[in-house]
Amino acid sequence: MTMLKYFYDNDLVRIYDKTPTNWREAINVASENLKEKNIITDEYVREVIKNVETNGAYIVITPGVVMPHALATGQGVLGTGIGFAKFSEPVSFEDGNPDKQGKLFFTLAAKDETQHLENIQNLMTLLMTDGMIDALSDIETLADFVQVMGQFENTPAE
């Protein structure tokens, strides 16, 4: 199963017309789909935000792409999963630094270190696929996501 199909089949895709006013709100909004599925709690989301406050914008893994996550052993992790959220405009994590903003959010949660590392590896494989970041950045609807999923259906995951 491809990562895109995983997101779609598990109802973990959220596309937002409105962009949050700041990065803290963006992390909360991007985490909603994992909370709805009882994979994480608000406590996990607070830990992610606290980590960014302490360590800086390390979760912006490449311009345009954000990977909110905390330690696998952290509080508030009920299961393993990755949620995908796309905002219409980039959210800034560092004023005046375009390299530290993103509109594609992949929120990770895992019950143990092995699953955490597997999630990251699968996500990196997806994002290193030529054209993937641009294709996902351009989607505006779930139908657009399905079209991208079909376009990249042979991209491996898991």
Side-chain angles (χ1 to χ4, degrees):
M1 168 174 31
T2 66
M3 284 293 297
L4 296 178
K5 188 165 174 37
Y6 160 82
F7 296 134
Y8 183 78
D9 287 352
N10 290 284
D11 188 31
L12 291 169
V13 177
R14 299 293 183 274
I15 300 166
Y16 297 97
D17 295 338
K18 192 174 171 202
T19 299
T21 56
N22 60 60
W23 65 264
R24 288 173 184 84
E25 181 185 345
I27 290 173
N28 273 297
V29 171
S31 300
E32 285 175 0
N33 51 9
L34 291 182
K35 287 194 310 186
E36 289 168 7
K37 303 291 180 197
N38 292 316
I39 295 171
I40 61 172
T41 67
D42 286 328
E43 192 171 4
Y44 183 78
V45 178
R46 284 191 297 272
E47 187 174 341
V48 171
I49 290 170
K50 186 175 128 213
N51 287 345
V52 174
E53 290 169 347
T54 302
N55 302 310
Y58 73 98
I59 64 174
V60 181
I61 57 174
T62 190
V65 181
V66 183
M67 188 175 69
H69 65 284
L71 294 174
T73 55
Q75 296 296 311
V77 178
L78 305 175
T80 297
I82 305 174
F84 171 65
K86 191 258 178 184
F87 297 110
S88 57
E89 298 296 325
V91 175
S92 178
F93 282 76
E94 201 175 278
D95 287 341
N97 186 350
D99 289 343
K100 293 296 181 183
Q101 62 184 15
K103 60 182 183 176
L104 303 179
F105 281 64
F106 296 91
T107 305
L108 275 67
K111 286 295 284 176
D112 63 47
E113 283 298 323
T114 301
Q115 291 174 334
H116 186 69
L117 291 174
E118 284 176 13
N119 276 348
I120 291 172
Q121 288 171 333
N122 290 338
L123 187 56
M124 290 301 115
T125 299
L126 174 77
L127 295 174
M128 289 182 352
T129 303
D130 279 345
M132 180 64 71
I133 292 173
D134 289 338
L136 290 175
S137 293
D138 291 342
I139 65 173
E140 294 180 8
T141 65
L142 190 56
D144 293 343
F145 181 88
V146 170
Q147 187 174 3
V148 169
M149 188 170 63
Q151 180 183 345
F152 291 96
E153 66 187 10
N154 295 322
T155 302
E158 315 186 277

